[in-house]
Amino acid sequence: MHIKQLLNEWAGSARPEEPVIRSTIELPLEQGARLLALQEMYPGRTQEQLLLDLLTTALDELEAALPYVPGDKVISEDDYGDPIYEDIGPTPRFLALTRKYREQLQNRDADTSPPARG
């Protein structure tokens, strides 16, 4: 999602609930003032929702901006039959680490969840 899409979403309905992890941050005065301005402009959103949306959008854009570095291994062909080489840049590492930490967080949550009743 891009920032313009985010602004359109904020003008619309509230965001659905998703599983979360708790995190606390301290904001510099200027960023705190900007966050409060956004909350007043979009009263249907909490500060936490605004921060989550901004962080999600920034991470999505960061992932898209990671450079593709072609390796030696051909992993596919494009529509014209030209080879597509595996990416040995930072993207595969970022995606692998993201999966690793997602699994760790999910397992941690599963370990602390109350037992199912039945």
Side-chain angles (χ1 to χ4, degrees):
M1 178 180 305
H2 295 285
I3 293 293
K4 285 186 178 189
Q5 293 169 306
L6 187 58
L7 291 171
N8 289 335
E9 185 179 309
W10 285 349
S13 62
R15 144 167 253 225
E17 295 274 332
E18 294 181 34
V20 298
I21 62 168
R22 283 262 172 233
S23 182
T24 303
I25 63 169
E26 294 181 10
L27 296 175
L29 182 67
E30 181 65 21
Q31 273 53 328
R34 293 164 108 184
L35 180 61
L36 290 170
L38 286 171
Q39 187 177 21
E40 185 172 328
M41 291 172 64
Y42 302 99
R45 304 286 174 166
T46 64
Q47 288 181 23
E48 291 81 6
Q49 288 171 325
L50 292 168
L51 285 170
L52 176 59
D53 288 346
L54 289 167
L55 180 60
T56 299
T57 300
L59 288 170
D60 288 348
E61 290 187 15
L62 179 134
E63 182 180 332
L66 290 172
Y68 165 72
V69 179
D72 295 328
K73 182 179 175 185
V74 176
I75 58 169
S76 186
E77 292 181 349
D78 65 14
D79 294 340
Y80 302 104
D82 295 325
I84 297 175
Y85 296 92
E86 86 176 307
D87 186 350
I88 59 170
T91 302
R93 181 162 189 246
F94 178 73
L95 296 175
L97 288 170
T98 298
R99 280 190 300 276
K100 170 187 162 182
Y101 288 112
R102 183 185 315 110
E103 289 171 9
Q104 285 181 6
L105 292 167
Q106 287 172 333
N107 290 337
R108 183 189 71 185
D109 289 345
D111 292 341
T112 59
S113 296
R117 296 183 185 210

mmCIF file of all heavy atoms in Angstrom, residues 6-7 19 21-22 26-27 29 34-35 37 43 47 52 54 56 63-64 69 73-75 79 82 86 89-90 92 101:
data_model
loop_
_atom_site.group_PDB
_atom_site.id
_atom_site.type_symbol
_atom_site.label_atom_id
_atom_site.label_comp_id
_atom_site.label_asym_id
_atom_site.label_seq_id
_atom_site.Cartn_x
_atom_site.Cartn_y
_atom_site.Cartn_z
ATOM 1 N N LEU A 6 -3.263 4.861 1.701
ATOM 2 C CA LEU A 6 -3.466 4.896 3.141
ATOM 3 C C LEU A 6 -4.377 6.060 3.532
ATOM 4 O O LEU A 6 -5.302 5.896 4.333
ATOM 5 C CB LEU A 6 -2.115 5.020 3.832
ATOM 6 C CG LEU A 6 -2.076 4.909 5.338
ATOM 7 C CD1 LEU A 6 -2.654 3.588 5.799
ATOM 8 C CD2 LEU A 6 -0.640 5.063 5.828
ATOM 9 N N LEU A 7 -4.156 7.209 2.931
ATOM 10 C CA LEU A 7 -5.007 8.363 3.230
ATOM 11 C C LEU A 7 -6.454 8.085 2.845
ATOM 12 O O LEU A 7 -7.383 8.448 3.571
ATOM 13 C CB LEU A 7 -4.488 9.612 2.521
ATOM 14 C CG LEU A 7 -3.159 10.161 3.039
ATOM 15 C CD1 LEU A 7 -2.652 11.258 2.122
ATOM 16 C CD2 LEU A 7 -3.288 10.652 4.464
ATOM 17 N N PRO A 19 -4.095 -10.023 14.918
ATOM 18 C CA PRO A 19 -3.223 -10.368 16.048
ATOM 19 C C PRO A 19 -2.095 -9.346 16.145
ATOM 20 O O PRO A 19 -1.589 -8.881 15.126
ATOM 21 C CB PRO A 19 -2.668 -11.743 15.675
ATOM 22 C CG PRO A 19 -3.576 -12.269 14.620
ATOM 23 C CD PRO A 19 -4.169 -11.083 13.931
ATOM 24 N N ILE A 21 1.491 -7.701 18.513
ATOM 25 C CA ILE A 21 2.479 -7.790 19.572
ATOM 26 C C ILE A 21 2.555 -6.399 20.180
ATOM 27 O O ILE A 21 2.302 -5.397 19.514
ATOM 28 C CB ILE A 21 3.865 -8.252 19.066
ATOM 29 C CG1 ILE A 21 4.452 -7.266 18.058
ATOM 30 C CG2 ILE A 21 3.786 -9.646 18.487
ATOM 31 C CD1 ILE A 21 5.912 -7.528 17.748
ATOM 32 N N ARG A 22 2.882 -6.317 21.455
ATOM 33 C CA ARG A 22 2.976 -5.030 22.137
ATOM 34 C C ARG A 22 4.349 -4.422 21.912
ATOM 35 O O ARG A 22 5.354 -5.115 21.954
ATOM 36 C CB ARG A 22 2.766 -5.209 23.636
ATOM 37 C CG ARG A 22 1.347 -5.402 23.999
ATOM 38 C CD ARG A 22 0.788 -4.067 24.457
ATOM 39 N NE ARG A 22 -0.642 -4.214 24.632
ATOM 40 C CZ ARG A 22 -1.520 -3.424 24.077
ATOM 41 N NH1 ARG A 22 -1.138 -2.417 23.343
ATOM 42 N NH2 ARG A 22 -2.791 -3.597 24.272
ATOM 43 N N GLU A 26 9.066 5.857 22.042
ATOM 44 C CA GLU A 26 9.087 7.264 22.425
ATOM 45 C C GLU A 26 9.256 8.067 21.149
ATOM 46 O O GLU A 26 10.137 7.772 20.339
ATOM 47 C CB GLU A 26 10.246 7.533 23.385
ATOM 48 C CG GLU A 26 10.070 6.826 24.713
ATOM 49 C CD GLU A 26 11.208 7.113 25.681
ATOM 50 O OE1 GLU A 26 12.047 8.003 25.404
ATOM 51 O OE2 GLU A 26 11.252 6.427 26.707
ATOM 52 N N LEU A 27 8.393 9.055 20.966
ATOM 53 C CA LEU A 27 8.443 9.870 19.758
ATOM 54 C C LEU A 27 9.071 11.222 20.047
ATOM 55 O O LEU A 27 8.755 11.845 21.066
ATOM 56 C CB LEU A 27 7.030 10.097 19.213
ATOM 57 C CG LEU A 27 6.264 8.871 18.735
ATOM 58 C CD1 LEU A 27 4.845 9.267 18.352
ATOM 59 C CD2 LEU A 27 6.967 8.230 17.561
ATOM 60 N N LEU A 29 9.277 15.201 19.750
ATOM 61 C CA LEU A 29 8.179 16.167 19.826
ATOM 62 C C LEU A 29 7.513 16.406 18.470
ATOM 63 O O LEU A 29 6.289 16.370 18.364
ATOM 64 C CB LEU A 29 8.696 17.491 20.396
ATOM 65 C CG LEU A 29 7.658 18.584 20.590
ATOM 66 C CD1 LEU A 29 6.676 18.186 21.688
ATOM 67 C CD2 LEU A 29 8.323 19.896 20.925
ATOM 68 N N ARG A 34 2.843 15.603 14.869
ATOM 69 C CA ARG A 34 2.304 15.172 13.578
ATOM 70 C C ARG A 34 1.288 14.043 13.763
ATOM 71 O O ARG A 34 0.255 14.005 13.095
ATOM 72 C CB ARG A 34 3.439 14.718 12.666
ATOM 73 C CG ARG A 34 4.351 15.859 12.268
ATOM 74 C CD ARG A 34 5.646 15.359 11.707
ATOM 75 N NE ARG A 34 5.678 15.586 10.275
ATOM 76 C CZ ARG A 34 6.658 15.184 9.498
ATOM 77 N NH1 ARG A 34 7.681 14.516 9.992
ATOM 78 N NH2 ARG A 34 6.631 15.435 8.214
ATOM 79 N N LEU A 35 1.593 13.137 14.679
ATOM 80 C CA LEU A 35 0.672 12.039 14.954
ATOM 81 C C LEU A 35 -0.645 12.575 15.528
ATOM 82 O O LEU A 35 -1.731 12.148 15.117
ATOM 83 C CB LEU A 35 1.316 11.045 15.929
ATOM 84 C CG LEU A 35 0.469 9.846 16.322
ATOM 85 C CD1 LEU A 35 0.117 9.002 15.104
ATOM 86 C CD2 LEU A 35 1.203 9.015 17.365
ATOM 87 N N ALA A 37 -1.868 15.510 15.030
ATOM 88 C CA ALA A 37 -2.559 16.201 13.929
ATOM 89 C C ALA A 37 -3.311 15.194 13.067
ATOM 90 O O ALA A 37 -4.477 15.426 12.700
ATOM 91 C CB ALA A 37 -1.552 16.980 13.084
ATOM 92 N N PRO A 43 -10.497 11.192 12.900
ATOM 93 C CA PRO A 43 -10.934 10.843 14.257
ATOM 94 C C PRO A 43 -11.395 9.396 14.425
ATOM 95 O O PRO A 43 -11.494 8.916 15.539
ATOM 96 C CB PRO A 43 -12.085 11.820 14.525
ATOM 97 C CG PRO A 43 -12.550 12.252 13.187
ATOM 98 C CD PRO A 43 -11.360 12.187 12.281
ATOM 99 N N GLN A 47 -4.302 6.511 17.807
ATOM 100 C CA GLN A 47 -2.880 6.740 17.560
ATOM 101 C C GLN A 47 -2.187 5.433 17.176
ATOM 102 O O GLN A 47 -1.343 5.401 16.279
ATOM 103 C CB GLN A 47 -2.210 7.341 18.790
ATOM 104 C CG GLN A 47 -2.586 8.764 19.057
ATOM 105 C CD GLN A 47 -1.879 9.328 20.277
ATOM 106 O OE1 GLN A 47 -0.828 8.838 20.680
ATOM 107 N NE2 GLN A 47 -2.455 10.357 20.873
ATOM 108 N N LEU A 52 0.485 2.030 13.270
ATOM 109 C CA LEU A 52 0.568 0.723 12.619
ATOM 110 C C LEU A 52 0.439 0.862 11.105
ATOM 111 O O LEU A 52 1.199 0.257 10.345
ATOM 112 C CB LEU A 52 -0.509 -0.213 13.160
ATOM 113 C CG LEU A 52 -0.587 -1.587 12.490
ATOM 114 C CD1 LEU A 52 0.728 -2.344 12.630
ATOM 115 C CD2 LEU A 52 -1.730 -2.384 13.066
ATOM 116 N N LEU A 54 1.106 3.520 9.270
ATOM 117 C CA LEU A 54 2.304 4.178 8.742
ATOM 118 C C LEU A 54 3.489 3.218 8.712
ATOM 119 O O LEU A 54 4.232 3.173 7.717
ATOM 120 C CB LEU A 54 2.634 5.418 9.584
ATOM 121 C CG LEU A 54 1.678 6.591 9.419
ATOM 122 C CD1 LEU A 54 1.917 7.619 10.519
ATOM 123 C CD2 LEU A 54 1.833 7.216 8.043
ATOM 124 N N THR A 56 3.379 -0.100 8.590
ATOM 125 C CA THR A 56 3.107 -1.120 7.577
ATOM 126 C C THR A 56 3.423 -0.599 6.181
ATOM 127 O O THR A 56 4.077 -1.267 5.378
ATOM 128 C CB THR A 56 1.638 -1.583 7.658
ATOM 129 O OG1 THR A 56 1.412 -2.142 8.951
ATOM 130 C CG2 THR A 56 1.310 -2.599 6.587
ATOM 131 N N GLU A 63 10.501 -2.866 1.510
ATOM 132 C CA GLU A 63 10.677 -4.179 0.882
ATOM 133 C C GLU A 63 10.696 -4.054 -0.639
ATOM 134 O O GLU A 63 11.524 -4.669 -1.315
ATOM 135 C CB GLU A 63 9.574 -5.129 1.320
ATOM 136 C CG GLU A 63 9.707 -6.520 0.753
ATOM 137 C CD GLU A 63 8.597 -7.447 1.201
ATOM 138 O OE1 GLU A 63 8.035 -7.265 2.294
ATOM 139 O OE2 GLU A 63 8.273 -8.366 0.424
ATOM 140 N N ALA A 64 9.794 -3.251 -1.184
ATOM 141 C CA ALA A 64 9.744 -3.066 -2.643
ATOM 142 C C ALA A 64 10.995 -2.357 -3.167
ATOM 143 O O ALA A 64 11.392 -2.564 -4.314
ATOM 144 C CB ALA A 64 8.496 -2.274 -3.022
ATOM 145 N N VAL A 69 19.474 -8.371 -6.833
ATOM 146 C CA VAL A 69 20.838 -8.691 -7.250
ATOM 147 C C VAL A 69 20.797 -10.084 -7.871
ATOM 148 O O VAL A 69 20.563 -11.072 -7.168
ATOM 149 C CB VAL A 69 21.814 -8.660 -6.051
ATOM 150 C CG1 VAL A 69 23.217 -9.025 -6.493
ATOM 151 C CG2 VAL A 69 21.784 -7.304 -5.363
ATOM 152 N N LYS A 73 22.224 -18.709 -10.558
ATOM 153 C CA LYS A 73 21.252 -19.786 -10.721
ATOM 154 C C LYS A 73 19.991 -19.290 -11.443
ATOM 155 O O LYS A 73 19.371 -18.315 -11.034
ATOM 156 C CB LYS A 73 20.878 -20.339 -9.349
ATOM 157 C CG LYS A 73 19.907 -21.482 -9.383
ATOM 158 C CD LYS A 73 19.626 -21.953 -7.959
ATOM 159 C CE LYS A 73 18.563 -23.034 -7.953
ATOM 160 N NZ LYS A 73 18.202 -23.407 -6.579
ATOM 161 N N VAL A 74 19.624 -19.981 -12.535
ATOM 162 C CA VAL A 74 18.389 -19.667 -13.262
ATOM 163 C C VAL A 74 17.246 -20.367 -12.536
ATOM 164 O O VAL A 74 17.282 -21.578 -12.325
ATOM 165 C CB VAL A 74 18.467 -20.137 -14.727
ATOM 166 C CG1 VAL A 74 17.134 -19.893 -15.430
ATOM 167 C CG2 VAL A 74 19.599 -19.428 -15.460
ATOM 168 N N ILE A 75 16.230 -19.599 -12.132
ATOM 169 C CA ILE A 75 15.105 -20.184 -11.387
ATOM 170 C C ILE A 75 13.827 -20.267 -12.208
ATOM 171 O O ILE A 75 12.883 -20.937 -11.824
ATOM 172 C CB ILE A 75 14.827 -19.411 -10.077
ATOM 173 C CG1 ILE A 75 14.520 -17.941 -10.368
ATOM 174 C CG2 ILE A 75 16.003 -19.545 -9.113
ATOM 175 C CD1 ILE A 75 13.983 -17.177 -9.184
ATOM 176 N N ASP A 79 8.210 -14.488 -19.977
ATOM 177 C CA ASP A 79 7.283 -14.775 -21.079
ATOM 178 C C ASP A 79 7.976 -14.910 -22.437
ATOM 179 O O ASP A 79 7.430 -15.486 -23.367
ATOM 180 C CB ASP A 79 6.208 -13.687 -21.169
ATOM 181 C CG ASP A 79 5.295 -13.687 -19.955
ATOM 182 O OD1 ASP A 79 5.244 -14.721 -19.249
ATOM 183 O OD2 ASP A 79 4.635 -12.659 -19.707
ATOM 184 N N ASP A 82 13.446 -15.735 -21.754
ATOM 185 C CA ASP A 82 14.711 -15.271 -21.189
ATOM 186 C C ASP A 82 14.839 -15.765 -19.750
ATOM 187 O O ASP A 82 13.842 -15.872 -19.021
ATOM 188 C CB ASP A 82 14.777 -13.737 -21.210
ATOM 189 C CG ASP A 82 14.796 -13.186 -22.630
ATOM 190 O OD1 ASP A 82 15.403 -13.843 -23.499
ATOM 191 O OD2 ASP A 82 14.201 -12.113 -22.856
ATOM 192 N N GLU A 86 18.012 -16.182 -9.753
ATOM 193 C CA GLU A 86 17.638 -16.048 -8.342
ATOM 194 C C GLU A 86 18.167 -14.728 -7.801
ATOM 195 O O GLU A 86 19.211 -14.232 -8.253
ATOM 196 C CB GLU A 86 18.159 -17.222 -7.516
ATOM 197 C CG GLU A 86 19.555 -17.061 -7.003
ATOM 198 C CD GLU A 86 20.008 -18.195 -6.117
ATOM 199 O OE1 GLU A 86 19.313 -18.526 -5.145
ATOM 200 O OE2 GLU A 86 21.070 -18.743 -6.414
ATOM 201 N N GLY A 89 20.270 -10.651 -3.489
ATOM 202 C CA GLY A 89 20.337 -9.374 -2.783
ATOM 203 C C GLY A 89 19.709 -9.485 -1.403
ATOM 204 O O GLY A 89 19.471 -10.580 -0.888
ATOM 205 N N PRO A 90 19.379 -8.376 -0.797
ATOM 206 C CA PRO A 90 18.841 -8.377 0.560
ATOM 207 C C PRO A 90 17.394 -8.858 0.673
ATOM 208 O O PRO A 90 16.952 -9.249 1.760
ATOM 209 C CB PRO A 90 18.971 -6.922 1.008
ATOM 210 C CG PRO A 90 19.006 -6.131 -0.257
ATOM 211 C CD PRO A 90 19.652 -7.018 -1.282
ATOM 212 N N PRO A 92 15.674 -11.701 -0.338
ATOM 213 C CA PRO A 92 15.445 -13.045 0.188
ATOM 214 C C PRO A 92 15.785 -13.162 1.683
ATOM 215 O O PRO A 92 15.083 -13.834 2.433
ATOM 216 C CB PRO A 92 16.365 -13.931 -0.647
ATOM 217 C CG PRO A 92 16.640 -13.162 -1.885
ATOM 218 C CD PRO A 92 16.581 -11.723 -1.482
ATOM 219 N N TYR A 101 10.886 -14.764 12.339
ATOM 220 C CA TYR A 101 10.360 -14.047 13.496
ATOM 221 C C TYR A 101 8.845 -14.162 13.603
ATOM 222 O O TYR A 101 8.303 -14.193 14.708
ATOM 223 C CB TYR A 101 10.829 -12.586 13.486
ATOM 224 C CG TYR A 101 12.303 -12.505 13.816
ATOM 225 C CD1 TYR A 101 13.225 -12.105 12.865
ATOM 226 C CD2 TYR A 101 12.775 -12.877 15.065
ATOM 227 C CE1 TYR A 101 14.576 -12.061 13.145
ATOM 228 C CE2 TYR A 101 14.127 -12.839 15.370
ATOM 229 C CZ TYR A 101 15.024 -12.436 14.411
ATOM 230 O OH TYR A 101 16.354 -12.407 14.697
#
